[in-house]
Structure formats: C-alpha cells, structure tokens
Amino acid sequence: MSERELLVRGTRVRILTAGSGDPLVYLHGAGDLGEWTPALSALAEHHAVVRPDHPGFSSSDDCPDIDSVHDLAFFYLDLLDELGLDRVTLLGSSLGGWLAADIATIEPSRVSKLILVSAAGLRAAEPVPDMFVLSAAELAELIHHAPDARAAAVAEAQQRADDPAAFGRYLRNRAATAHLAWNPYLHDPKLPRRLHRVTAPVLIMWGRQDRLLPASLARQWSELLPGARLEIIDDAGHLPLTEQTGAAVAAVQAFCEDGER
Amino acid sequence: MQFFGFHLMPYPYLPDEHRRSRDSTWVTLSNRHFDPARGHQLYQRYLAELVRYDQAGFDGICVNEHHQTGYGLMPSPNVVAGLLVPQTRGKIAILGNAVSLRDHPLRVAEEVAMLDVISGGRIISGFVRGIGAEYHTFGLDPTQSRERFHEAHDLIVRAWTEPGPFEWYGRHYKLRYVNPWPRPLQQPHPPIWSPSQGSAETVDWAARNRYTYLQTFSDLGTIGRAFSEFREAAQRHGYTSSPSQLGWSVPVYVAGTDTEARREARVHLDYLFNTLLRMPRDIFFPPGYLTLRSAPRVMGAKRGLGAGPVDPDDLLERGFALAGSPGTVREQIDRYASELGFGIFSGVFQFGSLGHEEFERSVQLFASDVMPALRGAATTLPG
C-alpha cells in the first residue's frame, strides 16, 4: 500500500493506493479514521484500489465549499479527473455509499460498477438511532454485531480520548459528518428521484444485524435501483466488510467478475 | 459595582424517577412532565420575582433563552422582557437572544428595537449562539453555529445603525431589503453583552467589539482566566478595558447564618446542577459546536458539565455558587471583585427548586445588607 497527496482544485487530499487491475475507488464511511483495512488488501488482489480521505476527514484538508454530500459528489468528479480515471468501480460504505450513489446519478458514464455497502442516503421507514446523540463507545456498540468485535470496538472508543491524535481525528471526522448529514439526517430527500439516472450494474450489500441503518433500507435501494443484486451478509452489523471480510469481499468479487462475462 | 438579578425560570416539579435517573433534562425529556396549570402559577411567581429585583433596588434584571428543557421556561426572552417593561424602571438585560438559532436574525433586530423604544431605552441586548443541545432541538447544523452567530450579529448591528433599505448578501442570510422599523432608541444601539462560559474565541470577540463580557456557570479559576484574557485582548485591540465590561453571573443564597444558607442552598444546587443541567456530553456539545482546538479538552475531560454528578459543597468551594450570611456574601463579592476585576454582579437568587419565601428573604437580605456597602465600587455601564 502506498500513500500520496493529491491537490484537487486547491484542496489537498490524502490517498492510499494498492493493487493493480481495474480501478476501484473506495469511499469511506463516517466512522472511518483513515486506516488501510484487511478488506482493502483483499480487494487490492484484483483491483487497483484508490482510497481517499474525504475532504474534512482524517488527513485531508477542509474544503469550505462543501456543505452537502451532493457538493462532495462534484468534488469527487474533479478528483477522478485529477487522477485521470475516466471510468471506475465505486464502492462506498455507509456515508460513502450515499456519496457513490450520488456520483453515479450526476455522471453515470464514469461509473462502471456501483457497490453500496450499508449505504446512507435514503430515509428509513422506521425510526433509526441518532448517531449524533451517541458517544463514541455507544456508537461502537451499536454498529458491531459479534460480541467480541463489539467489546473490542467499545474498548478502543473508550481509550481514544487518551490518544490526542486519534481523538482529534475522531472529533474532526464527526464534525465533518455532521456538516454533511445533520439534517436531513443521513439522507437526501431528492436522491430517490435521481437514482433512475444510474446506468452501472449495482450491488447492494447489508449486514443482516445492522442496528444503525436497518437492513430494510437494502430493500428500498433495490426498489429504486431495479436489477440491482442484493447481498445480505449474515452475522454482520453496520460494517460487513470489517466483521465478515471474507464473505463480503467474495460477494464483491463475484459481482465484479459477473459483469465481465 | 452594578447589581443585576437574573432568573432562569426552572421547572421545579420534575418527578423523582427522572431525578434519580441519568436521563437528559434537555431535548428528549418528555413535555408530558410539564403541567400547564402549575406552569401558570409558576410564571406568575417568577415574573413577580423578576419585578421584585427591580423594586429592591437592583440596577437591572436579566432573562435568557433556552429550549425544550425543564432547566428554564423561557424559550422567548423577548416575550418575558415585554411583560416586564411596564412593571419595572431599571435595565432589562436579555442574555441573550440566541441569534444563530433564528431562521431570521432581522426578527431579533426588530424585537429588541421594539423593546428598547417602548421601554424608553432600558434594554441591554445579549447575543449568544444557544447551547449545543439547542442544535439538536432545532435540527440546525452545529458546525455552522459560530459562522451564523457572527453573521447574524453583524447584520443586526448594521440594521440598527445604518439607515435602510440596504442589501445584505452573506453566506447564511441574503436579503434584498434590510430596513427594520422601529430603530432602537439608544444610540448607536442598545448595549451589547456577551454571556459565555469562557471560550477563548468569545472572550476575544467581546473584547474586540468593546462589549460587556458576562461569565456564567464557572469556577473561580476559569473566571479569573477569562477576565485576564479579556483585559489582554482589549490591550491587543488597542484600549484598556473597564471593570464595567466584566460581569459575573452566579447563583446566590443569603440567609441568617452561613450554616443555614449553605444547608438550604445545597438542596437546590443539587437540583440545578445534577438534574436541570444534566445531559449527555454529546448532546451538550454536538459535533462541530466547539472549535477543533477546544473540543478535545472538553470532550475528553473526566469531569465538568455533562460528565456526571457534582457535589454541591464542591460547587460552593469552587465559586460556582455563593451561599452565606450577608456578611460572608458581602465579603466574598468584595474580595472576588478586587481579585478578578469585575464591575457587574448578576445574582441568580432563585435557582433549582428554591421556593418563593426563601427567595424573598435572600433578596431582601442582599438588598439591605450586601448591596449598599458594595455600591462604593460603582461603575457606569459603557455605551
């Protein structure tokens, strides 16, 4: 894995890259603190993986012009231009899934495949927890399913305040998320009417035990994106790529190879 | 020394099960716990208590704005100020209008100007951002709070001082016609106060604008630091600040003896700090409400507001509240005024669940046995 900086119309963005093959841009979620993960390594066995920190998150600069996920989607089109990537697979998790779907509605031809993992962006029919009233530890408890993973994540969240760098990153990322998704909460009411523009094959992936964004949202996405493939991952909460890396990456890979036939 | 009487209008009837719980008293505490019939009685009492300050010889009275909480029943300080105008003769300090929470800051410019004209120029206009919880209440992006505050303030002051109509084209507010009727009576505009718990940004802003800075809910160490920073900021901005630009707002209880005062104050300080002010830290300080510079310190602190129960005796020791005989309270205010350099004292004489009779006696003792001796250090209000 290598790390580089890219200047996108005046905003410095940190990008992690690895692997070779068709380009796959990974759009991270709100709770991501900028790490390279085992899932990314697994994806890099088949793809040239590009993983930016969104502007305002982790080691990327702030971009004061960005006030919404829609603004961020336009920023990413500039980022793809800067990287010289005409057409990519977009894989977005949570907040990143919402972003990926939005990009695919603006310039559908730039997206060869669209993979939405526990994607924010739509409003659930049932009440959902408010991530912005929860502490780091409460949130860690909520998004993980397996007891071991849950306990480890809670412990890490509780210790984060003792690590100034990590704590500062957490607080900045959380503020950046609030700026994008405070109200309307984690969704764009206009997105459903734009999704018909998506032309790429779509994979919708959800953890069956997601308690932050319930799996019923996967059905909503399926209805709005007819023909999308739906993968519900067992024994996984909000982060199936983390909790069930093998199964989740295998499902992504099967979807990508399917499209190539 | 100038004396103000502050009232927070708390709801004293929260059920025992809520008091014993760890649940938030802000944002999510169900309003089924508010009894409108008891509320009616309570408002009559609290309004009379505010008028009582004026009758007892205080220079002014203070009201404020909070939302969706048992902590205070004044979502609109301007409504309360409007009720008090015809019943009082002194200053009315609105501390403050939470301008960032308003859809339209011009409404604040209009309402405060109305109050100023009707009262014959007795209004002091405080500006605040609203506390973090209120960004949950109104669904407003907390990361924009400071920006909105500054733009709203700039717009209001310009609307008060520059003849309209003029155009305002800001990031948050875009108005083709700014031209409020009426304009304020006090010229160039009502005195502006900045109530705060001591954030470095607010202290500097208040000093730069030559406003009066009012410290609320703080220990003596924090107050001393904030006031020093204010004086230093004033020097940096090219002038020497006056004690009349520094105010201390604090719950006060005066009784016959120190023992009696502290014993009674403890109960109501417990209700104020451990029930009325109780909320999870992530509700108190939503993401982006604090600057990235101050957020790690506040959010990582093992103690402080939002971090669990506090001991009323500890609050009294650290200067979060004053309780004692008239002599003790007089001596404390005198000493702190010379040590900390403030010229405005704003007492919250009703706090927590403190009853009307205790309030009456405390205010009476303060007005007769504390205030007169401290008047010697009288300062004049700026502008």
Side-chain angles (χ1 to χ4, degrees):
Chain A
M1 185 269 292
S2 63
E3 180 173 340
R4 59 183 282 209
E5 287 185 353
L6 183 73
L7 204 61
V8 181
R9 300 189 70 82
T11 301
R12 197 183 49 84
V13 172
R14 168 186 175 252
I15 297 182
L16 305 178
T17 55
S20 58
D22 290 340
L24 181 151
V25 176
Y26 178 84
L27 300 173
H28 68 77
D32 190 307
L33 295 176
E35 298 101 347
W36 183 263
T37 63
L40 291 171
S41 289
L43 290 165
E45 289 173 17
H46 303 278
H47 302 270
V49 174
V50 178
R51 187 225 167 274
D53 289 338
H54 304 321
F57 288 75
S58 297
S59 301
S60 288
D61 283 350
D62 287 335
C63 177
D65 292 337
I66 294 173
D67 292 320
S68 64
V69 167
H70 201 48
D71 291 341
L72 187 57
F74 279 93
F75 179 91
Y76 264 97
L77 290 167
D78 290 340
L79 181 143
L80 293 180
D81 291 348
E82 202 61 52
L83 288 171
L85 293 173
D86 184 47
R87 204 168 145 78
V88 298
T89 293
L90 280 184
L91 192 168
S93 171
S94 192
L95 179 76
W98 172 8
L99 174 61
D102 200 319
I103 294 168
T105 65
I106 301 171
E107 280 200 48
S109 62
R110 304 290 292 270
V111 184
S112 57
K113 294 187 185 64
L114 178 63
I115 303 163
L116 307 177
V117 180
S118 324
L122 300 178
R123 184 171 192 269
E126 67 264 46
V128 297
D130 179 357
M131 66 171 282
F132 296 119
V133 302
L134 299 176
S135 68
E138 289 166 332
L139 206 50
E141 199 279 334
L142 192 72
I143 65 178
H144 292 86
H145 168 65
D148 290 357
R150 208 184 282 183
V154 168
E156 192 196 332
Q158 283 166 339
Q159 285 154 17
R160 200 175 288 145
D162 300 327
D163 175 350
F167 195 48
R169 203 154 56 236
Y170 161 77
L171 292 168
R172 178 167 176 258
N173 290 3
R174 194 162 153 84
T177 303
H179 187 47
L180 297 173
W182 183 265
N183 187 13
Y185 176 70
L186 286 179
H187 76 284
D188 178 354
K190 295 190 174 172
L191 186 61
R193 290 196 293 276
R194 295 175 181 155
L195 284 175
H196 70 91
R197 294 179 50 79
V198 174
T199 52
V202 181
L203 170 65
I204 297 159
M205 181 182 293
W206 229 274
R208 190 178 297 283
Q209 290 84 13
D210 190 335
R211 291 176 293 148
L212 183 69
L213 296 176
S216 66
L217 282 164
R219 286 192 294 279
Q220 261 199 64
W221 280 106
S222 302
E223 284 161 19
L224 290 161
L225 294 165
R229 181 188 291 193
L230 180 62
E231 288 281 352
I232 304 292
I233 306 290
D234 285 324
D235 298 318
H238 185 59
L239 305 174
L241 285 165
T242 303
E243 277 201 80
Q244 296 296 338
T245 306
V249 171
V252 169
Q253 201 43 41
F255 168 73
C256 289
E257 284 166 8
D258 236 26
E260 283 162 15
R261 282 200 299 255
Chain B
M1 178 82 66
Q2 297 252 341
F3 292 94
F4 284 74
F6 206 143
H7 212 305
L8 304 173
M9 295 198 169
Y11 193 69
Y13 307 124
L14 293 176
D16 286 344
E17 72 260 25
H18 175 73
R19 298 175 68 154
R20 284 193 301 265
S21 77
R22 300 292 307 275
D23 296 344
S24 176
T25 301
W26 294 69
V27 187
T28 52
L29 173 62
S30 173
N31 61 2
R32 70 189 157 81
H33 295 300
F34 176 77
D35 176 342
R38 296 179 99 172
H40 174 76
Q41 297 299 330
L42 207 52
Y43 274 121
Q44 310 311 308
R45 176 190 145 197
Y46 286 166
L47 288 165
E49 289 175 354
L50 277 156
V51 172
R52 180 77 181 101
Y53 287 136
D54 188 70
Q55 292 166 344
F58 285 68
D59 298 280
I61 56 185
C62 308
V63 296
N64 73 350
E65 170 177 342
H66 285 299
H67 300 271
Q68 287 193 184
T69 174
Y71 169 86
L73 302 176
M74 274 189 289
S76 170
N78 298 343
V79 166
V80 176
L83 293 165
L84 294 167
V85 163
Q87 300 186 67
T88 56
R89 298 170 61 185
K91 300 275 182 194
I92 300 176
I94 301 164
L95 302 178
N97 270 288
V99 290
S100 332
L101 300 178
R102 290 288 190 114
D103 285 338
H104 214 312
L106 269 190
R107 294 295 293 262
V108 175
E110 292 173 338
E111 288 166 19
V112 173
M114 276 178 75
L115 289 163
D116 197 51
V117 172
I118 295 168
S119 69
R122 290 191 281 128
I123 299 300
I124 290 165
S125 178
F127 290 133
V128 294
R129 292 197 284 152
I131 72 163
E134 285 152 350
Y135 289 79
H136 291 284
T137 293
F138 288 105
L140 285 169
D141 176 358
T143 70
Q144 300 288 291
S145 162
R146 264 170 219 283
E147 262 188 44
R148 279 170 69 97
F149 175 82
H150 288 124
E151 189 178 330
H153 161 271
D154 295 350
L155 169 57
I156 291 167
V157 171
R158 193 171 156 204
W160 280 344
T161 52
E162 182 178 321
F166 61 83
E167 182 178 11
W168 182 272
Y169 193 85
R171 175 164 155 82
H172 297 281
Y173 311 105
K174 295 173 180 64
L175 305 163
R176 180 68 184 82
Y177 306 103
V178 178
N179 190 28
W181 288 63
R183 293 187 295 120
L185 180 64
Q186 296 180 85
Q187 292 297 315
H189 54 73
I192 292 173
W193 285 17
S194 173
S196 169
Q197 281 182 258
S199 88
E201 296 84 2
T202 304
V203 170
D204 185 77
W205 177 83
R208 188 173 68 237
N209 286 290
R210 305 192 177 210
Y211 294 156
T212 292
Y213 174 80
L214 186 78
Q215 184 81 22
T216 62
F217 284 123
S218 307
D219 64 273
L220 293 165
T222 304
I223 300 165
R225 177 187 56 74
F227 287 178
S228 294
E229 283 177 11
F230 185 94
R231 285 186 288 267
E232 286 160 22
Q235 292 297 339
R236 207 165 49 243
H237 296 297
Y239 73 104
T240 300
S241 65
S242 137
S244 66
Q245 278 177 273
L246 291 172
W248 178 29
S249 181
V250 62
V252 192
Y253 185 62
V254 188
T257 66
D258 288 352
T259 313
E260 185 191 354
R262 291 175 70 98
R263 188 183 61 234
E264 288 175 13
R266 263 184 220 123
V267 178
H268 309 293
L269 288 173
D270 176 53
Y271 187 70
L272 170 59
F273 281 86
N274 293 325
T275 296
L276 295 177
L277 272 169
R278 186 177 63 215
M279 66 188 112
R281 198 172 256 164
D282 286 87
I283 287 186
F284 215 145
F285 303 108
Y289 178 80
L290 300 167
T291 58
L292 287 172
R293 191 158 63 94
S294 48
R297 179 176 48 79
V298 175
M299 298 304 284
K302 303 291 184 233
R303 55 189 282 183
L305 294 176
V310 289
D311 172 12
D313 281 320
D314 185 46
L315 294 170
L316 287 166
E317 290 311 315
R318 294 166 63 203
F320 277 98
L322 298 178
S325 68
T328 298
V329 170
R330 188 174 61 232
E331 186 274 325
Q332 281 180 316
I333 296 173
D334 198 26
R335 180 156 49 88
Y336 297 148
S338 50
E339 285 174 12
L340 304 171
F342 58 86
I344 295 167
F345 181 84
S346 162
V348 183
F349 288 81
Q350 193 289 331
F351 54 89
S353 44
L354 192 92
H356 179 65
E357 281 174 26
E358 290 84 355
F359 168 89
E360 266 297 321
R361 190 183 51 172
S362 174
V363 167
Q364 182 55 47
L365 285 171
F366 189 86
S368 61
D369 297 354
V370 178
M371 228 159 41
L374 297 171
R375 284 280 186 202
T379 49
T380 49
L381 289 172

